[in-house]
Amino acid sequence: MPFRLGGIRCPSGTLVVIDGGHLGAWSGERSPAEIDPALLGVDDAETAADVLGSVDFAVVGPDASEAARTFGRQPGAMFHDVPASRAAGLKAMFEDHCRAAGPDARLGALPSREPHARRAHRTASEGGGGFLMFGIPVVAVGGMPRDRDLPVLASRVEPGDVTGRRWSGIRVQLGEGPVESSVPLGDVGVDWARVLFGDADALGAWQHDEAADGLADVAFWGAAAEEAATVFGAPELGEPGEDGVRGWTGLAVAEAVDRARALMSWKEQTGRRMRVDFRPHSHHWQVMRQIRASELETGTVDIGDARLLCTMTTWGDGHFPVFADLDASGSVVAVRVSFSGTVR
């Protein structure tokens, strides 16, 4: 019996399956060169310059598809976000590969980086599949109904297969016909234990760390939380699903930043064990607030006419395959992320 997690709306017709924790690095229609390398965990100037100078390559020539597939560095016939220091080396490796393997193809540098939304739409127009966003595997698929809600359903792993309650798979349901075959689209790379199903254009308006209302929350928990609450006069946070968490809600961002820094300073100076979380009222905060309160660990957010859904994998991190499930006529019945492989 599947569980209904919620629904999505995809007015652009292109669905993106991505780790919701990485959406702060999504460029939309902007060049990826405009993304701050600090959002990617880069904290030194030399590496940041290398990332900012990255190059996108297209595989061109009569045997482009075969050459890209056998080279095996990235999905599809585009190589994205190649750091400046590695660009020449990649071209040389590709030329060596083609000489040895035989395909007639070469790498051509694009005049500018391909924005993430365009990567998604192009990939969808080519039949759907995967691409990389700063090395993170993402899947895009087209042909989504633009004028109706699409249910998102999840199936549990059969009892006894694994410990605990985990999803075997999550699918966006397009039709009701029986599944006759499945086509692999690629992998979604997960580093934040969650997966998001979202419209390619709506993701361009996603606010990951920017407070939409100028407000933020500060939360803290752990072994020293009660002691810290006494020191800082912090009440129970009072958010659903967060019993035992202390902090403040609805502070002006500047005040929230000051309180979070004070907590972190106290923690470091005393050596106490405690987690501190700064939560600006962004789209990311909105969906994670619902996830923490939900028994199914799921939340949705509306952006324009689109509705996006984010849910926890229940398996933590990893690379998880995404499939298009087809009926007897070859029409897509569902787009499915598989976690355990035990149940379709």
Side-chain angles (χ1 to χ4, degrees), residues 119-280:
R119 297 182 194 186
H121 286 304
R122 177 185 51 77
T123 300
S125 71
E126 294 170 353
F131 63 89
L132 296 188
M133 181 189 81
F134 299 117
I136 303 157
V138 179
V139 170
V141 58
M144 297 295 107
R146 300 167 183 256
D147 57 354
R148 60 184 172 90
D149 290 0
L150 302 173
V152 180
L153 308 174
S155 300
R156 293 279 192 204
V157 170
E158 292 295 333
D161 286 353
V162 294
T163 302
R165 300 195 308 171
R166 293 184 172 181
W167 301 130
S168 64
I170 298 174
R171 67 184 187 270
V172 177
Q173 195 76 31
L174 279 67
E176 297 300 329
V179 176
E180 295 293 333
S181 61
S182 298
V183 176
L185 296 172
D187 290 346
V188 56
V190 175
D191 296 314
W192 295 84
R194 68 198 68 150
V195 63
L196 181 140
F197 302 88
D199 180 88
D201 289 345
L203 291 179
W206 176 272
Q207 293 181 230
H208 198 70
D209 294 314
E210 297 178 10
D213 57 2
L215 303 177
D217 301 345
V218 178
F220 61 95
W221 63 95
E226 290 301 317
E227 183 181 358
T230 299
V231 172
F232 290 93
E236 289 280 347
L237 191 67
E239 288 290 305
E242 297 202 86
D243 292 342
V245 178
R246 297 280 192 158
W248 304 271
T249 60
L251 301 175
V253 168
E255 182 181 359
V257 168
D258 288 343
R259 294 199 187 191
R261 285 175 174 168
L263 283 164
M264 289 299 298
S265 178
W266 179 84
K267 172 188 170 182
E268 292 167 2
Q269 291 173 4
T270 61
R272 299 294 196 269
R273 295 174 55 196
M274 184 176 69
R275 290 288 301 275
V276 180
D277 199 10
F278 172 70
R279 301 172 178 175

Side-chain angles (χ1 to χ4, degrees), residues 322-343:
V322 182
F323 298 89
D325 290 336
L326 312 178
D327 63 15
S329 70
S331 297
V332 178
V333 176
V335 175
R336 171 174 53 91
V337 182
S338 178
F339 297 112
S340 71
T342 59
V343 180

